[in-house]
Amino acid sequence: MRRSGAWMMLIAGACALGGCKSPSPHARRDGQANWDEVRARIKYQLAREQFESGRPEETARTALEALALDERFLDAYVLLCRAQIEMADTSSALRTLSAARGAELDAPVLFYLEGVAAEMSGDPVAALARYRAARQGQPNNADFLAAEVELMVAQGAPDAALQLLKEHARPNENDATLDALAARLAVLVGDADYADHCYRAASRKASHP
């Protein structure tokens, strides 16, 4: 549609009254940063789909592309590290975690993944310390607690592991993971009554997801 001269004059007048001007360099930088964050999240969603469909190599490439757009994107670091661990590439996983720390990111999941990498590298002492830090940072996370407990058992301390589980397990009506783990440990240490109690709880939750 052709615009009349009067319409163009109206636009010019409105801009003059409203103070229309070119964006400042600072505003342009902010706009670019916001757009990069949007693109990073789109890349991240694609990487998640790739990981869930069993394609860790593609996941790693796409997650790296997301991080190139937003170097402080915690979820992208976590997904990249998980993909590298899935490929048994411990050295790359450790570099990813170091980069996340270098970006001044701090979250319990980073401690947990550092624990996984340390355990894969044959350092159970460091792994246990990291699992404990993850569990203390997020006490209601069953995976963090289970990782600490299972490593304690592997190191020959099933009684202490079961006690830790009893003290820190949070009731969860939808997840039988910790109940099943507690039942197995109770059998291991010879606590038949507690084993029966935990098996019943696990069975009830499993049959009513």
Side-chain angles (χ1 to χ4, degrees):
M1 181 177 71
R2 186 175 178 180
R3 301 189 183 279
S4 68
W7 175 255
M8 298 305 293
M9 288 177 64
L10 180 61
I11 294 294
C15 281
L17 290 171
C20 291
K21 58 182 179 180
S22 299
S24 68
H26 180 72
R28 283 197 295 271
R29 284 195 300 271
D30 286 348
Q32 183 61 49
N34 290 338
W35 174 233
D36 286 346
E37 288 179 5
V38 170
R39 293 168 61 206
R41 277 147 184 75
I42 293 171
K43 290 283 187 181
Y44 170 73
Q45 290 299 326
L46 174 59
R48 280 189 59 184
E49 293 171 6
Q50 292 168 335
F51 188 77
E52 289 167 1
S53 63
R55 294 177 288 166
E57 292 183 4
E58 293 179 33
T59 302
R61 284 195 296 269
T62 308
L64 280 169
E65 291 172 1
L67 287 168
L69 294 164
D70 183 358
E71 64 178 10
R72 301 196 75 252
F73 192 176
L74 174 62
D75 289 346
Y77 280 109
V78 170
L79 186 58
L80 173 59
C81 186
R82 289 178 64 194
Q84 291 162 336
I85 288 171
E86 185 73 17
M87 294 185 288
D89 188 354
T90 311
S91 58
S92 292
L94 288 170
R95 284 196 297 271
T96 295
L97 292 166
S98 179
R101 296 297 191 187
E104 300 182 347
L105 297 173
D106 185 27
V109 68
L110 295 180
F111 286 111
Y112 170 74
L113 291 171
E114 287 166 349
V116 174
E119 191 172 0
M120 291 174 66
S121 300
D123 190 348
V125 175
L128 187 59
R130 292 302 183 182
Y131 289 150
R132 182 169 295 123
R135 187 255 306 164
Q136 291 171 340
Q138 193 173 341
N140 62 342
N141 189 302
D143 291 334
F144 297 170
L145 177 58
E148 183 181 1
V149 166
E150 288 173 350
L151 186 51
M152 290 174 69
V153 174
Q155 291 184 300
D159 290 279
L162 181 58
Q163 186 59 36
L164 180 73
L165 197 54
K166 287 180 178 180
E167 291 174 358
H168 295 283
R170 299 292 193 274
N172 188 331
E173 290 301 319
N174 301 312
D175 188 355
T177 302
L178 295 181
D179 297 288
L181 178 57
R184 180 164 59 86
L185 290 184
V187 169
L188 190 62
V189 302
D191 189 341
D193 290 340
Y194 192 66
D196 181 67
H197 167 77
C198 293
Y199 272 128
R200 289 177 183 276
S203 297
R204 176 175 54 78
K205 292 175 184 178
S207 61
H208 297 88

